[in-house]
Amino acid sequence: MPGRLLILLLSVLPKHALSRGAGWLATRPIPAPWRGRVHRSYSRVFGAQPDEAALPLEQYPTLNAFFTRTLRPGLRPVAAGAIVSPVDATVGAYGSVEADTLVQAKGRNYSLAALLGSRELADHFEGGTYTTLYLSPKDYHRIHAPVSGDVTAATYIPGELWPVNVAAVANVADLFAANERIVVELDATNGGRLAIVAVGATMVGMTRLAFDDLHTNARRREVQRHHYDGAVRLEAGAALGHFEFGSTVILVCSPEAGTIEGLAIGATVRMGERIGSPAHPA
């Protein structure tokens, strides 16, 4: 019941304006003497791990800078010869792509073509596997390449900004296909294709890419598709983008690219951890 009441309340609030406002506040400079105290307080409240940050807390001038922090080198080793988790997250769903259908939550399914914004693209993934990875405010917020390959396209799809927590996933129909998102298409070096879908959410200022200025919550509210003729080459574990606060990544793998292995709902995964096997290991 509380979850439904929250969704009802949010349905009448200006979610995009609220999210832009949150993004603006998160980029306000914090006086230098207060920075360590503010970031440690945030970490205590949400359970973040400030000791993993690449820099001393006092060197993050804003909350957004701390949200999007990089990590100390070596903390997230990338498994060799594997499909790896692109993020630190909690597993929200896992399964096979069957008849264009993914599972959002028990009793709630949605269309892969609607999520990707393309029936043609969705057809590449029929019979493949997918997982939904939820990033909470405590998590490391950067997104990385799950395999080595070439980014061939990225598409911004405007939409709603519902929360992506458990209550919203259970109560909002077609949530991930309704929310703002960026769809990144990656052709794996060893064959096959993967889609990395970065889904926006309420109070997420923006979702940004590392190799392009494409971002969510844009004022130009129309589909924007960028093709990379020269291709953007990424090694497994390379930077793909980041969330300016927590959200969700949906990773979809074509049969030709390999298989995302069985992941328990509610399990915690870390960036670089093995979550699947390529069809044609190097």
Side-chain angles (χ1 to χ4, degrees):
M1 182 62 72
R4 291 184 181 178
L5 290 175
L6 174 62
I7 297 306
L8 181 61
L9 174 62
L10 285 171
S11 69
V12 298
L13 292 176
K15 295 182 285 296
H16 286 85
L18 286 172
S19 298
R20 288 195 190 101
W24 181 85
L25 285 173
T27 57
R28 296 309 90 196
I30 301 169
W34 298 359
R35 290 174 188 169
R37 187 182 310 167
V38 168
H39 300 322
R40 277 187 288 271
S41 295
Y42 172 90
S43 299
R44 282 194 297 271
V45 169
F46 292 105
Q49 301 296 319
D51 56 309
E52 293 188 341
L55 302 175
L57 296 187
E58 292 73 17
Q59 292 187 29
Y60 295 102
T62 66
L63 275 173
N64 189 60
F66 180 65
F67 295 157
T68 59
R69 63 195 177 276
T70 55
L71 301 179
R72 288 189 286 110
L75 285 180
R76 298 292 186 274
V78 177
I83 299 170
V84 302
S85 176
V87 288
D88 285 8
T90 300
V91 178
Y94 163 80
S96 299
V97 181
E98 299 178 3
D100 188 48
T101 300
L102 305 186
V103 174
Q104 177 174 304
K106 186 176 181 180
R108 286 195 181 275
N109 298 336
Y110 65 105
S111 161
L112 176 61
L115 175 72
L116 301 180
S118 167
R119 170 66 63 184
E120 181 182 0
L121 178 58
D123 286 345
H124 286 278
F125 299 101
E126 187 64 31
T129 47
Y130 74 94
T131 185
T132 302
L133 303 171
Y134 169 66
L135 289 77
S136 73
K138 70 179 176 61
D139 289 315
Y140 168 61
H141 294 83
R142 291 183 178 259
I143 309 165
H144 297 257
V147 296
S148 297
D150 296 323
V151 176
T152 57
T155 305
Y156 162 60
I157 304 175
E160 296 291 334
L161 282 176
W162 293 107
V164 290
N165 56 21
V166 172
V169 168
N171 287 285
V172 179
D174 302 319
L175 172 63
F176 300 125
N179 268 18
E180 297 250 329
R181 56 205 181 277
I182 293 179
V183 179
V184 177
E185 300 169 42
L186 179 67
D187 284 353
T189 299
N190 296 327
R193 182 174 296 184
L194 294 92
I196 305 99
V197 185
V199 183
T202 309
M203 308 307 281
V204 177
M206 287 182 183
T207 304
R208 298 183 183 274
L209 296 179
F211 52 85
D212 197 330
D213 62 0
L214 205 62
H215 59 80
T216 63
N217 209 357
R219 295 189 180 277
R220 179 184 158 199
R221 303 198 51 70
E222 59 187 47
V223 173
Q224 300 175 44
R225 183 172 175 82
H226 292 189
H227 291 274
Y228 308 104
D229 294 333
V232 177
R233 174 72 184 174
L234 297 177
E235 298 300 320
L240 191 74
H242 68 264
F243 292 111
E244 295 181 356
F245 215 64
S247 195
T248 288
V249 166
I250 301 170
L251 177 63
V252 193
C253 181
S254 74
E256 297 79 13
T259 304
I260 300 172
E261 295 160 357
L263 296 171
I265 308 305
T268 298
V269 294
R270 286 195 161 191
M271 192 286 289
E273 177 183 333
R274 180 190 186 93
I275 61 169
S277 301
H280 307 286

